[in-house]
Structures are given as C-alpha cells and as structure tokens.
Amino acid sequence: ARPRVLERCVGGRERTRMPGDLRSRRIIWIHLHKFAGTTMCKLAGDQLEVVPGNNCNYASDLCSQSDVRQQVACQARIDSTNFTFSAIERALADADLNCSDAIYGIILRDPMAAIQATLVQNRFSVVESRRILNSIKQRRRPMIYSEERVNGHHACLPAWDTYQHVDNFVTRTLGGDYDARRGNVSDYELNAAKAFL
C-alpha cells in the first residue's frame, strides 16, 4: 500500500496526499545544482512518486536550460497526466512559481561545499577552476576553451554556465538574473530570492 502523507494547506486546512496519485497536487522540486536534487529525485521515486526520467527534469527542460522555448513552466507540470513529481534544474522564471496548486521543495547547503562539489564532480580542471575563481576579481566571464570542452567534460553544464556556481549561485538561481556579470548580483535579486524562500 502507498504511504499517505498529511499535507498542511494554506489556511491551516489539512488533507491527505498519496504519493504517485495523479489526482493529487504535483510536487515541483527546485533542483539547485549539487544541492542533493538527484538524491531527492531518487527518494521521490522510492516513495512511489511518478517521476520523469533524466534526473526528474521534465521533457526538454533539462539542467541549465536557457532556451525559454524549451522550459516547462509550473502550469504544464501541474496539468501533467504523466508525473506527480518533477524538478527544475535551471534559473527560475516567474512562470515557474505562480502555481498555488503545486507543492514546492528545495534544499539549501553550505555555499562553499556546493562550489567544491561543482568544480570537482563536474570535472573542472585546476586551470579552469583557477580561471573561474580569478574571474571574481576581474568581474568578467572566464574563458573555457573549446579544446577543454570534450563531450560530457562538465556533465550537464554547458560552456557558458561556469562562474555563476561560485558567485551567489542560489541568489542568481532564485532571484531572476542568473547571468548577471560577476560581482553584480544586487539587493533586488537577493530580495527576490528571499521572497521565494
């Protein structure tokens, strides 16, 4: 038998939600890169949630997806007849967050541990890592050269997605300006990220 989960709703009402029941509210996991999103995807499947393949990312909306035509907003996710749990592993947009019928989840971790995990597990070389970290002082995008970019070298991260992971990554992801220049994440993005949380 499927476990039942007691869900506390807005206004204090309670109702029961059954994992994997397509009539239940959908869970949208905000998968911050190297913040246990893969583990949460696996645990959701273990709890009998119906999850999409590809690390719980939905359809063409994959890790670091920057093409808005490929992104799947929350309304399509909650209208899905195929999944009860999906992840967003990219910068958030307003259309991702305006579904009051969705249950949102996120995990935060120590930013320095996340930086280390990204640089090590995504196989950035020592030279690339230094370039990325030095670009903080220089306030410019680090160069990652094509000869360094062998297929799958940085796992799911595209060539443009580098310094963001060492410069206010969570604020960038949740705050609405993921691609802000180095050192230019502002109070506006910080307040937007805090409002999401």
Side-chain angles (χ1 to χ4, degrees):
R2 291 188 172 173
R4 293 182 179 269
V5 178
L6 189 62
E7 174 187 328
R8 189 169 306 279
C9 301
V10 176
R13 296 183 330 260
E14 293 180 350
R15 67 181 180 194
T16 301
R17 180 185 182 278
M18 289 187 54
D21 183 345
L22 291 168
R23 296 167 296 180
S24 293
R25 293 173 68 196
R26 302 301 190 264
I27 297 173
I28 299 175
W29 191 259
I30 308 306
H31 180 165
L32 298 168
H33 191 70
K34 299 300 174 206
F35 282 66
T38 300
T39 299
M40 293 307 296
C41 176
K42 181 184 180 319
L43 290 172
D46 290 349
Q47 294 298 313
L48 305 177
E49 293 292 351
V50 183
V51 301
N54 209 353
N55 210 18
C56 290
N57 292 314
Y58 194 103
S60 59
D61 196 353
L62 304 174
C63 172
S64 298
Q65 180 57 260
S66 60
D67 183 348
V68 295
R69 297 168 300 178
Q70 300 296 317
Q71 295 175 357
V72 180
C74 68
Q75 191 62 52
R77 292 168 186 268
I78 66 171
D79 290 342
S80 170
T81 58
N82 297 315
F83 306 111
T84 59
F85 180 104
S86 65
I88 300 174
E89 191 176 1
R90 58 167 167 76
L92 296 179
D94 289 341
D96 296 319
L97 304 174
N98 59 8
C99 292
S100 60
D101 287 342
I103 300 170
Y104 290 90
I106 190 169
I107 288 180
L108 301 177
R109 76 183 286 195
D110 175 64
M112 296 306 290
I115 290 169
Q116 182 179 13
T118 297
L119 295 177
V120 172
Q121 293 175 12
N122 287 102
R123 299 183 300 277
F124 284 90
S125 71
V126 172
V127 171
E128 289 173 311
S129 296
R130 283 187 186 141
R131 253 188 261 135
I132 292 167
L133 294 171
N134 285 335
S135 71
I136 293 171
K137 293 181 218 172
Q138 300 163 352
R139 292 190 176 205
R140 64 169 178 77
R141 185 181 296 272
M143 293 297 298
I144 303 296
Y145 301 101
S146 59
E147 62 270 13
E148 297 172 326
R149 301 296 301 187
V150 295
N151 189 28
H153 177 65
H154 295 272
C156 73
L157 298 180
W160 60 266
D161 195 3
T162 56
Y163 71 89
Q164 296 91 334
H165 294 268
V166 300
D167 181 32
N168 293 295
F169 174 65
V170 173
T171 303
R172 288 173 175 278
T173 303
L174 304 179
D177 193 3
Y178 187 76
D179 210 26
R181 290 182 53 187
R182 281 294 236 169
N184 286 342
V185 173
S186 70
D187 286 344
Y188 178 83
E189 287 84 21
L190 176 61
N191 290 329
K194 287 170 32 179
F196 167 75
L197 295 172

